[in-house]
Amino acid sequence: MINRRSLLATGGLLAATGALTSAAPAALAAEPASDLPTRNPLVEQRADPFVTPPVDGMYYLTGSVPEYDRVVIRGASTLDGLSSARERTIWRRPSSGVMGGYIWAPELHRIDGKWYVYFAAGDKDEPFRIRTYVLESSNADPRESGWVLRGQMVTAWDTFTLDATTFAHRGKRYFLWAQSEPGIATNSNLYIAEMASPLALKTTPVRIATPTLSWEVQGFKVNEGPAVLIRNGRVFVTYSASATDARYCMGMLTADENANLLDARSWTKSPNPVFTTNVATSQYGPGHNSFTAVGSTDVLVYHARDYRDITGDPLFDPNRHTRVQKVHWNADGTPSFGVPVGRGGPIVRLSPLDAPSLVVRHYEYALRADGNVRELGDTQFRFVPGFLGAGTVAVQSVNFPDRYVRGDVLRIDPFEDTDAYGRAASFVRVPGLADSSAVSLRMGADTYLAHDNGRIVLSRPGGDRDARRRATFRLE
């Protein structure tokens, strides 16, 4: 992306700031209350990331390391803290024999007062003879030593098996995983079974997804990496599909929460992927996700690369980084993941104070306020340093990060290294005119962005109460 700081060295722009910088800026309004991370990626070179829900005030993260030789765990009291948290190795593969090959995709679960790690491992002489194994710990802190290998998770077939997860629902605990089934010409399908214990299955596996759609069979015929989110009367299972390069993507299965989850007919596959490569944000091959939460906010955890082109087998490219972003919800109760966001700080949505059911979005690059926007990326922005120096901000589009809100034309336009663009795309961000916990965006001495019956306009609200409400936006 263009280095906008070069603007500050442009003498003409600095000399042409006008009223926008002559007024002393008020204190910035607070960001929305949130413990969501302020950086992306969260952790570099950790693929297949799994973050637990908070347990006794702690988040724990595990994932595949580039060497594929061990299981690691780090913990922190906030998601953001996982970035710099010390990492502990709790288990390392043997030097020979069973489990001496590739170690993939560990998941950490707290069940009945104990910790369990489900992971995939190959053998030393056959590294792709992948099976699922389980570790157990009685310690309160999973980073402590004392883990015990409990052996292989036995399924119906002794075949390629990986990416196991577990979840509890309606008094039962389920095991959900990917496996190659004899007689089916795919690399892996998705299966579910009830568990007799954290170490064994109780029921016969049921196949609930097979890669058949065009976006599931790119490079390889793959359904893998399932993750479970139970909300709004439904059980959602996201999963990953296709080869592990830029074609990797996420799909979704849905079942009614009252349905028999062991009946394949209870599950419906979404016809299109729900999370894919995005060239504009430079995020490639997003997938193998998990879910955690910050308070009542659901958080998507996934990996992606910052580049498309890979030398050699993508499986051995080390730069699949752990990333997180907020899950939003559509009016019909389905999750909305948007686009994999690029590097940068916090992401916000702006909701007009006078129309709280609406959010500011861009449609064909023009600004407006709409409700129930399914194109989540169109509603997401970042506040970044403005083009006119200290005291100003620019409002950057998340899904088109080379574009910024321009107040003169009320749209997002590509960056231009000109005085006119700098003036038009720089604002003074102040506490909301009608609510100091919200924000208002000022241009010049007395002109503000405002909402007007679904339109985004420029307004001089003065002391008018209703006009000041229209020029105030809550941050989500």
Side-chain angles (χ1 to χ4, degrees):
M1 191 172 71
I2 296 172
N3 182 1
R4 298 174 297 102
R5 295 187 184 275
S6 64
L7 281 175
L8 302 182
T10 305
L13 185 57
L14 290 175
T17 58
L20 193 58
T21 57
S22 63
L28 293 185
E31 296 288 351
S34 173
D35 290 319
L36 289 176
T38 58
R39 61 176 64 86
N40 209 0
L42 184 67
V43 180
E44 295 195 350
Q45 295 194 341
R46 290 296 176 266
D48 313 322
F50 184 87
V51 176
T52 65
V55 178
D56 295 330
M58 292 288 290
Y59 293 93
Y60 298 100
L61 180 148
T62 186
S64 299
V65 301
E67 300 82 7
Y68 296 140
D69 65 350
R70 63 194 187 276
V71 176
V72 298
I73 297 174
R74 64 177 68 191
S77 60
T78 64
L79 287 180
D80 212 35
L82 292 171
S83 293
S84 57
R86 180 185 177 189
E87 192 169 76
R88 298 289 302 273
T89 296
I90 62 148
W91 184 84
R92 191 176 292 273
R93 70 186 179 190
S95 59
S96 62
V98 176
M99 295 180 292
Y102 302 129
I103 307 301
W104 289 346
E107 284 202 7
L108 175 65
H109 295 270
R110 184 75 166 168
I111 305 173
D112 298 333
K114 293 183 179 181
W115 288 103
Y116 295 88
V117 169
Y118 300 95
F119 67 99
D123 297 344
K124 178 66 173 180
D125 297 330
E126 295 182 76
F128 284 99
R129 187 183 180 277
I130 301 293
R131 303 293 186 269
T132 296
Y133 301 89
V134 60
L135 297 162
E136 182 185 70
S137 171
S138 297
N139 294 322
D141 189 333
R143 296 169 295 180
E144 295 179 0
S145 59
W147 284 86
V148 177
L149 179 67
R150 291 304 191 192
Q152 182 178 337
M153 290 295 295
V154 177
T155 66
W157 317 280
D158 186 28
T159 59
F160 184 85
T161 309
L162 72 166
D163 295 352
T165 192
T166 179
F167 68 100
H169 182 59
R170 299 295 172 103
K172 298 180 179 180
R173 178 162 292 278
Y174 296 91
F175 200 60
L176 180 59
W177 73 100
Q179 186 162 7
S180 174
E181 180 179 344
I184 299 179
T186 58
N187 298 95
S188 61
N189 314 304
L190 295 184
Y191 298 85
I192 191 171
E194 188 180 345
M195 301 185 81
S197 74
L199 306 177
L201 303 185
K202 180 179 181 179
T203 61
T204 301
V206 175
R207 181 181 355 106
I208 59 173
T210 305
T212 56
L213 302 176
S214 61
W215 50 271
E216 298 178 299
V217 297
Q218 300 298 308
F220 294 99
K221 297 178 180 180
V222 168
N223 284 172
E224 65 181 18
V228 179
L229 188 59
I230 303 174
R231 295 287 185 273
N232 303 326
R234 279 160 282 189
V235 180
F236 301 102
V237 172
T238 55
Y239 63 93
S240 298
S242 291
T244 57
D245 53 21
R247 296 171 290 184
Y248 207 52
C249 60
M250 278 169 45
M252 189 169 72
L253 303 171
T254 304
D256 186 277
E257 67 175 358
N258 297 312
N260 177 7
L261 301 186
L262 300 181
D263 185 343
R265 295 170 297 182
S266 298
W267 297 94
T268 300
K269 179 185 289 187
S270 297
N272 299 307
V274 295
F275 205 55
T276 63
T277 284
N278 190 278
V279 175
T281 62
S282 298
Q283 297 299 293
Y284 298 93
H288 201 119
N289 77 290
S290 59
F291 295 103
T292 186
V294 175
S296 61
T297 299
D298 294 304
V299 179
L300 171 69
V301 183
Y302 65 100
H303 71 230
R305 293 184 179 88
D306 291 324
Y307 50 85
R308 176 188 294 275
D309 297 330
I310 298 169
T311 301
D313 188 333
L315 188 61
F316 301 105
D317 178 278
N319 293 316
R320 292 183 292 175
H321 304 321
T322 295
R323 306 170 191 276
V324 293
Q325 59 194 68
K326 179 179 178 179
V327 177
H328 292 264
W329 294 92
N330 297 313
D332 63 2
T334 57
S336 179
F337 304 111
V339 302
V341 302
R343 290 177 178 260
I347 293 167
V348 299
R349 301 206 303 173
L350 292 91
S351 177
L353 189 65
D354 71 319
S357 64
L358 307 183
V359 289
V360 176
R361 58 90 57 92
H362 55 82
Y363 180 78
E364 296 180 349
Y365 306 126
L367 292 183
R368 54 197 257 186
D370 283 340
N372 191 27
V373 182
R374 298 188 74 92
E375 298 80 12
L376 176 62
D378 289 357
T379 70
Q380 295 177 309
F381 300 91
R382 281 185 170 119
F383 288 112
V384 298
F387 303 114
L388 297 184
T392 67
V393 298
V395 184
Q396 181 187 36
S397 167
V398 164
N399 59 348
F400 294 99
D402 64 329
R403 291 174 177 262
Y404 301 83
V405 171
R406 286 184 54 167
D408 57 344
V409 291
L410 300 171
R411 49 183 288 120
I412 58 167
D413 277 341
F415 169 74
E416 297 175 6
D417 193 353
T418 65
D419 293 358
Y421 188 97
R423 286 191 298 270
S426 293
F427 301 86
V428 176
R429 174 181 159 180
V430 299
L433 299 181
D435 183 341
S436 61
S437 67
V439 300
S440 293
L441 296 172
R442 190 179 78 226
M443 293 192 69
D446 59 358
T447 302
Y448 293 82
L449 286 188
H451 169 243
D452 181 18
N453 294 315
R455 299 183 302 146
I456 300 300
V457 300
L458 291 178
S459 170
R460 290 185 172 86
D464 182 86
R465 179 179 178 275
D466 290 339
R468 292 172 74 85
R469 285 177 57 82
R470 290 193 293 271
T472 301
F473 299 87
R474 293 196 186 281
L475 299 182
E476 297 180 359

